[in-house]
Amino acid sequence: MSSPVLLPGATGLNGSGQQTTLGVMGGGQLGRMFVQAAQAMGYFTVVLDPDVISPAGLVSHYHIKTDYLDEQGLTQLLQRCAAVTTEFENVPAAALVTLGAARPAAPSADAVAIAQDRIKEKAHLARSGVPVAPYAVIESAAQLTAVADDLLPGILKTARLGYDGKGQVRVSSRADLVAAWDALKNVPCVLEQMLPLVAECSVIVARGWDGTCVNFAPQRNLHRAGILAVTEAFDGNLPAQLAEKAVQAAKNIAEELNYVGVLCVEFFVLQEGSPERARLGGLVVNEMAPRPHNSGHYTLDACDLSQFDLQVRTLAGLPLVQPRQHSAAVMLNLLGDLWPENLPEHAASDPAHMTARGTPRWQQVLALPGVHLHLYGKLKASKGRKMGHLTVTAATPEQARTTALAAAEILGIAPF
Ligand code: ATP
Ligand code: MG
């Protein structure tokens, strides 16, 4: 179903005086920031997430606490909302089909189903004009045996349900590969050739019901242990030609899927002089996320429209205008590792990294210029868990980097 224009505020549905309510499947931090952007514009919000203390549920007008496939929960959601979006790609496709039949839903169940499955996803990404990493589909023992030598060393990735490096095993020999596939319980996988990366980047686009497509400039991303650690967003973060190519590829993918909503596409930049670069070119497309993305969190503080503002606009059928970045920015992810209970013993007892109350040293960090702290309201700080992020904005890339490095040192994040 395509969207009529859903204006915010108490203009009333048929003059009833009701507030226009936007719905979101999933109550994580991305849902929270969507809810906050929608509320800032005057919408009411409803979140469906089984977790009683989910980050988005805590700040939404309404929170339906049922399973994603629960019929009553989905019915309640439809009663409440005028349109619905998602905040994570593993929302069951069947739920999105139900929702999409009754209300405008963006992204569509079809687009989400493709992003949920690396095998389907690769086929789409390959049509973007930028190559994917050489890969083989592994769904049977015969396919495992038939893998070409040049895919090793490689990374075996489960076709479904992977995120933050989960569901991935690095393999360097055939024996490794067999063991890794067993460890992954022989579920459908893809084996990708390990590529020599010099950098990673991502592009966020927003596409409306009428096909209008706007974008942010590519971000440069640093991953540690498979998890995004740092995003640098400023002029000169990537070679201009490459950045242009990445934007075009991301737009092609959105167009190809007839996508509505915010879409993030991740890319690898290959090392100069490597045989892989000679064969594939400088840029390889890695994967897409059918939603706002961690690498776009800086847009909240460094751009005149954030990725969440654009998610609201695409869903509600409001005008899409090209966002403008007004500050150089560096974003640092705040993982649970930084909380005292997770620090190695020597650091945990070192007052340099935490306050007396046992939280990271927010006061010292907030004393730096241009620092924006975002915490997601999660109670348990386990290792690798995304607890929040910190964006440093500045007039120049150099200033943003210098301050971000100072913040990283205060918090115990390794320099970059
Ligand atoms: P996300 O949290 O972004 O959804 P994910 O778990 O789906 O992550 P990928 O993006 O596939 O995983 O991989 C995680 C990281 O592992 C990449 O950002 C990159 O640093 C590294 N990586 C993945 N595939 C390759 C490859 N073929 N060659 C080299 N490095 C790779
Ligand atoms: Mg990724």
Side-chain angles (χ1 to χ4, degrees):
M1 192 182 288
S2 67
S3 181
V5 176
L6 299 167
L7 293 174
T11 47
L13 297 175
N14 304 323
S16 65
Q18 282 180 35
Q19 298 278 351
T20 306
T21 302
L22 299 180
V24 57
M25 288 291 274
Q29 61 267 23
L30 297 170
R32 179 182 176 101
M33 290 181 267
F34 167 79
V35 160
Q36 289 167 335
Q39 291 179 345
M41 281 186 75
Y43 291 100
F44 269 38
T45 58
V46 54
V47 168
L48 191 151
D49 189 307
D51 183 354
V52 292
I53 47 160
S54 71
L58 288 173
V59 297
S60 178
H61 294 91
Y62 308 108
H63 179 188
I64 299 165
K65 303 171 187 104
T66 65
D67 186 80
Y68 298 110
L69 284 168
D70 185 278
E71 262 179 53
Q72 276 194 342
L74 292 173
T75 303
Q76 276 182 44
L77 179 63
L78 288 173
Q79 281 167 352
R80 286 264 185 233
C81 77
V84 62
T85 187
T86 63
E87 65 109 39
F88 73 115
E89 59 258 50
N90 292 324
V91 171
L96 289 180
V97 171
T98 304
L99 297 173
R103 291 283 182 279
S108 71
D110 291 352
V112 173
I114 291 166
Q116 280 175 349
D117 184 333
R118 279 191 200 277
I119 300 170
K120 288 193 194 136
E121 181 186 44
K122 292 250 182 238
H124 271 270
L125 296 179
R127 279 180 254 161
S128 66
V130 165
V132 296
Y135 73 101
V137 173
I138 296 179
E139 293 176 302
S140 68
Q143 284 172 321
L144 189 77
T145 318
V147 156
D149 284 338
D150 53 12
L151 292 182
L152 293 168
I155 306 189
L156 188 65
K157 303 181 178 181
T158 58
R160 304 182 71 86
L161 299 174
Y163 70 99
D164 287 349
K166 294 190 176 72
Q168 301 197 0
V169 186
R170 296 183 175 218
V171 292
S172 49
S173 66
R174 282 181 184 275
D176 278 2
L177 180 58
V178 173
W181 197 44
D182 279 345
L184 294 173
K185 307 216 163 60
N186 308 114
V187 295
C189 283
V190 297
L191 174 67
E192 271 178 40
Q193 183 188 353
M194 178 74 79
L195 296 173
L197 312 187
V198 64
E200 295 186 58
C201 67
S202 55
V203 175
I204 293 165
V205 302
R207 188 169 180 276
W209 299 95
D210 64 356
T212 308
C213 191
V214 299
N215 68 284
F216 294 98
Q219 301 83 225
R220 184 181 182 122
N221 302 323
L222 171 68
H223 291 81
R224 288 181 174 147
I227 306 177
L228 182 66
V230 181
T231 292
E232 292 178 296
F234 42 68
D235 273 350
N237 60 352
L238 292 156
Q241 220 186 349
L242 209 124
E244 222 169 273
K245 208 170 164 185
V247 168
Q248 195 50 55
K251 287 188 162 181
N252 291 348
I253 292 164
E255 184 81 17
E256 165 102 11
L257 290 168
N258 199 17
Y259 191 86
V260 178
V262 172
L263 175 78
C264 177
V265 183
E266 292 181 65
F267 298 89
F268 297 143
V269 183
L270 303 190
Q271 257 165 36
E272 206 84 51
S274 62
E276 288 81 6
R277 182 155 178 151
R279 193 149 43 97
L280 298 166
L283 195 67
V284 164
V285 52
N286 173 26
E287 59 174 0
M288 62 181 179
R291 50 169 173 78
H293 194 258
N294 193 169
S295 63
H297 290 355
Y298 75 92
T299 62
L300 285 166
D301 301 305
C303 299
D304 59 0
L305 288 171
S306 75
Q307 60 173 348
F308 304 102
D309 293 328
L310 293 181
Q311 186 181 18
V312 172
R313 286 189 183 218
T314 51
L315 184 63
L318 297 177
L320 284 182
V321 293
Q322 184 68 23
R324 185 181 66 84
Q325 187 170 348
H326 51 69
S327 298
V330 176
M331 191 268 330
L332 306 177
N333 257 348
L334 303 171
L335 301 183
D337 309 51
L338 304 179
W339 269 249
E341 61 261 40
N342 296 320
L343 290 173
E345 227 171 87
H346 66 277
S349 55
D350 176 358
H353 292 309
M354 74 202 71
T355 64
R357 278 180 51 243
T359 54
R361 301 175 86 193
W362 305 134
Q363 267 189 297
Q364 282 84 339
V365 174
L366 291 169
L368 298 170
V371 164
H372 310 259
L373 177 63
H374 299 257
L375 292 175
Y376 307 144
K378 297 182 184 177
L379 298 181
K380 173 121 188 57
S382 40
K383 280 192 175 183
R385 189 168 195 212
K386 291 174 177 169
M387 302 299 291
H389 70 270
L390 195 124
T391 301
V392 177
T393 54
T396 66
E398 295 70 29
Q399 283 170 6
R401 267 189 63 85
T402 304
T403 305
L405 283 165
E409 191 179 352
I410 291 168
L411 294 171
I413 298 171
F416 45 88

